[in-house]
């Protein structure tokens, strides 16, 4: 491209609008449609160029330079800082996490955006829906971080994510037993190792067995537990009662079935001989259970599964799930972006093509897969690339959502840079190296953008 | 494909006109209806799912600390008497938070105005003025669009430190303006370039000077783009945390940093964090809902920030 002579058709767009005036008669050269003096043009540009030069361009140069110096900034360190990027464990976790982020987050957000864009096309309340999904783009990542801290709260009573998880789990899983239940010293039971309890004496057919336990809060008893009944002897089998040996308000006798004491419905009782389980039964609503004759002479054991703690939900912000969890909050924020851009692209698709395919007998899924998606390819590419370079810089969400214990597992490059450069014991050399790495990662996009604009100019 | 279709249609229904409605089998139609219903259900669920986190925040902010610690915000539906404005009351008395809101305005408004003004000057220059290397300069600006702020954090800290504006509101404003300029110049230059040449030439012939040309002709026409840019920049700066974390004064942080400090110090005081976060969201949400179209078009035009 030539420098500014009198305009000329090879100038940047809009090329066809550019007549190009000749240089002014002597004196100050005037160019462009407005015939502006060059000094005035410089004046218009100066504030922008000064700010950009000082705060954007110069920092790029300085960061590259600084990344080759050591921590104190005085001596040349060669590639040491860069080497540290790939040897230091926390930084390597950051690099690994960034890779996960770049691959997963834009893909999920784009796919969701695509689904939403396609589905809302024909709905009347599509605009309202789009507004709801797009709205999180307006808030700060800090606010989103606080919102999702609330969502991922561990206790199922407080955090909605775990409330749902526990709800789903408990619908399908067996109801767990009686955590915290245990025998008293006077009871005929003792600890059997591994959280189970065994009878102190072997049982005999004809003698009903008493298996009392305490420690279950009345509210946690099964809703259909009935008052415990003393079992009657029956033939060669072993019978017994497993019940909560606790009378509300006191007055009961330990080790005896008092009225109003409830049976431990569902408690599993095993008969163990020589370490092997020969029979097992479940206590009924009134606590009564029956074991076959094979249990004669065995020790009765209440296995540890009876006393398992209830399902407490997923540890969303624990070391293994924290990165997917934070990616979830990012998708919540940015799926709307993908949706809006794709919807705009969709609106530009020629309808006849789609209708023709439908007439040909293609069903919706085929139309979608074979026509819509390929024609949306440019839009999808823009969305994916934008999200990818956005995600490289992710900081706020990780900073806020990851609790102290999981910070290292959730580490990302931008966070690492902050900690390295502005925390205690700052190493600006390594920090600059991270910055340069981030810059290198976006350079392909930079080139691509510049090339695209140049090509548009040449038209 | 169109030609094949037309040929096929012509073969099958020679008498049918080009506007014939395709006959679908009953099964296909039922499936479409059921599919449509399932689709709607899916969308309704998705919409609720998307709303839930924000509603959770709002409802949590309206519950007392004891309630927050004891149960989840969905309890409110069974015990509406739990709702209280106490948290907000206490927030308004909390000078750290109210002060930070003021700081946020102090940072955001100038940043937005500066970006619009400086970007307009430069965008107009790139669009209509001629000067050496103009196109190369513009391509440089395009290249700068994707530069991550992380690259500038260390150098600018040292620079600001050297000239004494580190940890000042002024420094933050300058930083935000600088990083908002590539997008501003790109957007405005493309928009100004669409102004009909004749308008400018006519104004010139009428004897308009540079400033008159700019303020009376160019800027008014730039309205929509300037609005989009302004809103985009406003939200961007208001919602920023990283830049303010580093460059804002310790005694006048914006709301994002103030809330972040709360999280750092206490982590679980939802009775402060929830109303605080919501208050920080009110202005951006109001701006968003009031100016949706401009915001969306700004986002679409940029798609690179």
């Amino acid at each position: 491209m030539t420098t500014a002579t009198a305009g000329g058709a090879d100038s940047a767009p809009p090329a066809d609008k550019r007549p190009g005036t000749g240089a002014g008669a002597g004196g100050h050269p005037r160019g462009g449609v407005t015939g502006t003096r060059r000094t005035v043009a410089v004046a218009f540009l100066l504030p922008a160029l000064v700010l950009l030069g000082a705060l954007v361009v110069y920092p790029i140069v300085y960061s590259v330079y600084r990344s080759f110096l050591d921590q104190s900034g005085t001596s040349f360190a060669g590639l040491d800082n860069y080497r540290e990027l790939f040897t230091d464990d926390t930084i390597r976790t950051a690099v690994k996490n960034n890779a996960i982020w770049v691959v997963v987050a834009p893909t999920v957000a784009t796919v969701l955006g695509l689904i939403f864009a396609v589905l809302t096309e024909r709905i009347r309340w599509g605009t309202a829906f789009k507004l709801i999904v797009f709205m999180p783009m307006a808030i700060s990542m800090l606010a989103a971080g606080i919102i999702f801290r609330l969502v991922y709260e561990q206790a199922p009573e407080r955090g909605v994510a775990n409330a749902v998880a526990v709800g789903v789990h408990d619908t399908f899983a067996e109801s767990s037993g009686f955590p915290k239940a245990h025998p008293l010293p006077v009871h005929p039971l003792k600890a059997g190792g591994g959280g189970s309890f065994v009878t102190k004496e072997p049982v005999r057919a004809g003698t009903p067995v008493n298996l009392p336990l305490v420690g279950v809060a009345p509210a946690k008893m099964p809703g259909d537990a009935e008052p415990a009944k003393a079992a009657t002897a029956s033939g060669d089998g072993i019978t017994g009662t497993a019940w909560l040996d606790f009378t509300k308000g006191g007055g009961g006798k330990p080790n005896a079935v008092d009225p109003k004491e409830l049976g431990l419905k569902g408690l599993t009782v095993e008969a163990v001989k020589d370490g092997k389980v020969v029979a097992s039964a479940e206590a009924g609503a009134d606590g009564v259970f029956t074991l076959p004759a094979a249990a004669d002479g065995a020790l009765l054991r209440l296995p540890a599964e009876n006393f398992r703690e209830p399902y407490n939900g997923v540890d969303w912000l624990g070391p293994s799930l924290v990165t997917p969890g934070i990616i979830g909050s990012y998708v919540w924020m940015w799926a709307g972006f993908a949706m809006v851009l794709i919807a705009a692209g969709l609106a530009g698709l020629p309808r006849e093509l789609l209708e023709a395919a439908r007439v040909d007998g293609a069903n919706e899924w085929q139309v979608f897969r074979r026509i819509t998606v390929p024609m949306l390819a440019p839009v999808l590419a823009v969305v994916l690339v934008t999200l990818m370079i956005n995600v490289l810089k992710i900081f706020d969400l990780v900073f806020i959502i990851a609790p102290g214990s999981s910070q290292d597992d959730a580490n990302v490059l931008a966070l690492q840079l902050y900690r390295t450069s502005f925390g205690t014991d700052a190493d600006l050399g390594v920090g600059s190296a991270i910055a340069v790495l981030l810059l290198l990662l976006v350079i392909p996009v930079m080139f691509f953008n510049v090339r695209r604009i140049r090509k548009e100019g040449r038209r | 494909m169109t030609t094949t279709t037309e040929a096929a249609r012509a073969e099958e229904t020679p008498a049918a006109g080009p506007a014939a409605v395709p006959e679908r089998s009953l099964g296909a139609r039922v499936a479409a209806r059921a599919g449509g219903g399932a689709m709607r259900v899916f969308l309704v669920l998705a919409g609720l799912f998307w709303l839930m986190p924000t509603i959770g925040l709002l409802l949590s902010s309206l519950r007392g600390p004891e309630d927050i610690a004891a149960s989840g915000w969905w309890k409110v539906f069974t015990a509406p008497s739990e709702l209280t404005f106490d948290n907000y009351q206490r927030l308004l008395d909390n000078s750290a938070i109210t002060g930070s809101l003021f700081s946020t305005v102090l940072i955001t408004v100038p940043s937005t105005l500066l970006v619009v003004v400086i970007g307009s000057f430069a965008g107009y220059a790139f669009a209509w003025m001629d000067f050496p290397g103009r196109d190369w300069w513009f391509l440089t600006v395009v290249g700068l669009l994707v530069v991550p702020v992380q690259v500038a954090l260390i150098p600018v800290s040292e620079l600001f430190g050297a000239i004494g504006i580190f940890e000042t509101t002024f420094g933050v404003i300058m930083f935000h303006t600088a990083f908002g300029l590539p997008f501003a110049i790109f957007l405005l230059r493309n928009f100004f370039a669409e102004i009909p040449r004749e308008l400018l030439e006519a104004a010139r012939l009428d004897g308009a000077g540079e400033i008159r040309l700019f303020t009376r002709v160019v800027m008014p026409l730039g309205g929509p783009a300037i609005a989009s840019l302004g809103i985009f920049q406003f939200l961007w700066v208001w919602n920023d945390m990283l830049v303010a974390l580093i460059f804002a004064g310790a005694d006048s942080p914006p709301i994002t940093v103030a809330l972040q400090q709360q999280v750092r110090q206490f982590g679980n005081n939802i009775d402060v964090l929830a109303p605080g976060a919501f208050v920080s969201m009110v202005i951006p949400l109001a701006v968003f809902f009031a100016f949706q179209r401009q915001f969306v078009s700004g986002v679409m035009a940029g798609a690179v920030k």
Side-chain angles (χ1 to χ4, degrees):
Chain A
M1 265 190 227
T2 54
T3 53
T5 47
D10 60 341
S11 299
D16 51 338
K17 293 188 188 173
R18 249 319 148 261
T21 36
H28 308 284
R30 287 171 168 274
V33 169
T34 54
T36 310
R37 283 190 299 275
R38 203 175 297 170
T39 43
V40 176
V42 168
F44 268 64
L45 288 170
L46 207 57
L49 294 184
V50 164
L51 276 175
L52 285 177
L55 299 183
V56 185
V57 179
Y58 154 73
I60 296 178
V61 176
Y62 183 82
S63 276
V64 175
Y65 163 72
R66 186 67 181 79
S67 68
F68 291 116
L69 301 180
D70 70 349
Q71 180 170 5
S72 61
T74 47
S75 52
F76 186 69
L79 289 177
D80 281 352
N81 291 326
Y82 290 95
R83 219 167 292 145
E84 189 161 333
L85 288 186
F86 298 107
T87 51
D88 180 293
D89 269 338
T90 19
I91 303 185
R92 277 173 65 170
T93 316
V95 174
K96 182 187 68 138
N97 282 337
N98 265 102
I100 297 177
W101 270 91
V102 168
V103 169
V104 175
T107 317
V108 175
T110 308
V111 166
L112 270 180
L114 179 63
I115 295 177
F116 288 158
V118 167
L119 290 184
T120 52
E121 248 200 307
R122 351 265 191 85
I123 312 270
R124 254 170 301 134
W125 37 277
T127 324
F129 178 82
K130 286 206 203 115
L131 214 61
I132 290 176
V133 176
F134 192 72
M135 184 272 289
M137 289 271 304
I139 67 177
S140 61
M141 288 199 155
L142 165 97
I146 293 180
I147 288 178
F148 272 84
R149 261 196 155 200
L150 255 169
V151 169
Y152 287 138
E153 176 82 41
Q154 177 60 42
E157 302 87 49
R158 291 203 300 268
V160 67
N162 267 344
V164 170
V166 169
V168 168
H169 177 271
D170 284 350
T171 330
F172 296 112
E174 315 232 320
S175 53
S176 52
F178 304 92
K180 297 200 180 56
H182 58 274
L184 289 177
V186 329
H187 286 164
L189 287 166
K190 61 174 203 261
S196 64
F197 300 111
V198 290
T199 51
K200 292 175 183 166
E201 302 285 340
V203 297
R204 295 260 159 260
T207 317
V209 188
N210 279 349
L211 297 179
L213 290 174
V214 296
V216 183
K220 299 263 191 249
M221 289 292 287
D224 47 358
E226 288 170 12
K229 268 208 297 260
T232 47
S234 96
D236 325 313
I238 306 289
T239 53
T241 319
W243 83 101
L244 185 66
D245 192 10
F246 170 75
T247 312
K248 201 157 149 209
K253 288 208 303 283
N255 228 350
V257 179
D258 299 304
K260 289 201 283 187
E261 287 180 348
L262 294 171
L264 290 169
K265 175 174 190 265
L267 194 75
T268 311
V269 184
E270 290 171 342
V272 178
K273 273 192 196 164
D274 299 325
K276 279 208 313 248
V277 176
V278 298
S280 87
E282 239 183 56
D286 53 6
V288 174
F289 61 89
T290 317
L291 287 165
D296 190 16
L299 289 172
L300 289 189
R301 180 174 72 185
L302 304 173
E305 289 79 56
N306 282 322
F307 311 108
R308 234 187 356 216
E309 287 291 333
Y311 183 61
N312 205 28
V314 181
D315 190 14
W316 299 103
L317 298 182
S320 46
L321 281 181
V322 65
T323 297
I326 305 180
I327 292 183
S329 71
Y330 180 84
V331 168
W332 177 75
M333 282 188 81
W334 284 82
F337 169 80
M339 175 186 67
V340 164
L341 257 74
I342 296 177
L346 263 183
L349 289 186
R351 292 289 136 205
E352 314 82 53
L353 220 55
L354 300 173
E355 280 315 308
R358 290 201 186 100
V359 166
D360 271 350
N363 63 35
E364 285 308 314
W365 175 246
Q366 284 171 322
V367 171
F368 178 72
R369 199 161 59 89
R370 296 279 182 88
I371 307 179
T372 316
V373 173
M375 289 191 72
L376 281 176
V379 177
L380 292 177
V382 167
V383 169
L384 275 173
V385 169
T386 308
L387 290 177
M388 281 186 196
I389 58 181
N390 190 302
V391 151
L392 277 177
K393 306 185 274 188
I394 196 82
F395 172 79
D396 304 27
L397 281 177
V398 181
F399 195 56
I400 291 296
I401 297 182
S405 49
S406 306
Q407 274 245 330
D408 278 345
D409 302 279
N411 203 11
V412 285
L413 284 173
L415 179 59
Q416 182 60 40
L417 190 156
Y418 177 74
R419 282 157 67 171
T420 310
S421 317
F422 298 98
T424 48
D425 194 28
D427 187 341
L428 297 182
V430 175
S432 301
I434 299 179
V436 172
L437 175 64
L438 283 176
L439 183 66
L440 287 176
L441 290 174
V442 299
I443 280 188
V445 182
M446 199 189 283
F447 270 160
F448 183 74
N449 276 347
V450 171
R451 228 183 44 163
R452 188 163 49 99
I453 302 295
R454 274 185 80 172
K455 261 198 272 185
E456 281 177 17
R458 288 245 171 82
R459 257 187 288 124
Chain B
M1 186 182 257
T2 334
T3 37
T4 338
T5 316
E6 281 171 356
R9 256 198 288 172
E11 276 176 25
E12 288 168 11
T13 53
V21 174
E23 252 306 306
R24 283 195 289 183
S25 70
L26 179 66
R29 272 184 281 141
V30 167
R33 260 295 159 80
M39 185 173 80
R40 272 162 225 271
V41 168
F42 172 71
L43 284 182
V44 168
L45 286 179
L48 284 175
F49 183 77
W50 238 262
L51 270 180
M52 204 163 51
T54 321
I55 296 195
L57 183 81
L58 175 62
L59 290 178
S60 293
S61 70
L62 293 171
R63 302 172 79 215
E66 325 78 41
D67 291 327
I68 293 177
S71 57
W73 50 263
W74 51 95
K75 279 282 183 316
V76 174
F77 295 116
T78 48
S81 54
E82 276 185 351
L83 293 176
T84 163
F85 280 106
D86 283 353
N87 293 333
Y88 285 97
Q89 194 76 334
R90 250 176 295 139
L91 203 73
L92 289 176
D93 295 333
N94 184 339
S95 59
I97 300 285
T98 46
S100 70
L101 273 174
F102 185 63
S103 298
T104 314
V105 174
L106 222 56
I107 292 175
T108 310
V109 172
S111 301
T112 309
L113 288 175
L114 276 176
V115 158
V116 166
V117 169
I118 299 182
S120 299
F121 276 111
Y124 168 61
F126 277 114
W128 289 110
M129 297 184 191
D130 224 351
F131 50 90
R134 177 190 60 198
D135 301 317
W136 284 114
W137 283 110
F138 185 66
L139 287 179
T140 314
V141 170
V142 170
L144 292 180
L145 276 171
V146 293
V147 170
V149 294
Q150 278 77 11
V151 159
L153 294 177
I154 297 174
V156 174
S157 312
E158 302 202 341
L159 177 67
F160 279 2
I163 60 180
I165 57 174
F166 188 60
E167 292 206 336
T168 61
T169 304
F170 180 72
V172 183
I173 296 175
M174 286 297 109
F175 192 96
H176 276 303
T177 308
F179 268 85
L181 277 176
F183 176 62
I185 297 177
F186 179 72
L187 188 72
L188 290 177
R189 183 272 205 185
N190 285 344
F191 194 83
F192 286 153
E194 305 280 313
I195 298 178
R197 168 169 41 104
E198 301 76 37
L199 247 89
L200 295 170
E201 287 177 336
R204 251 298 184 235
L205 286 173
D206 279 348
E210 294 298 348
I211 298 298
R212 268 255 291 270
L213 196 61
F214 183 68
T215 51
R216 294 290 174 81
V217 181
V218 176
M219 285 296 272
L221 289 172
I226 290 177
S228 292
L229 171 70
I231 288 163
F232 190 79
Q233 180 76 2
F234 181 88
L235 288 179
W236 182 261
V237 176
W238 183 283
N239 288 333
D240 159 76
M241 188 181 76
L242 174 61
V243 173
L245 201 54
I246 297 173
F247 292 109
D251 51 346
S252 54
I255 183 110
T256 43
V257 175
L259 286 174
Q260 174 270 137
Q261 284 165 352
Q262 287 282 328
V263 173
R264 268 283 171 273
Q265 276 188 299
F266 307 109
N268 260 332
N269 52 343
I270 301 288
D271 55 316
V272 174
L273 290 179
F278 208 78
V279 162
S280 81
M281 283 164 58
V282 164
I283 304 266
L285 285 177
V287 168
F288 167 69
F289 281 115
F291 301 106
Q292 297 157 40
R293 248 182 318 128
Q294 286 89 334
F295 180 55
V296 172
S297 69
V299 164
M300 286 175 57
V304 279
K305 209 162 177 176

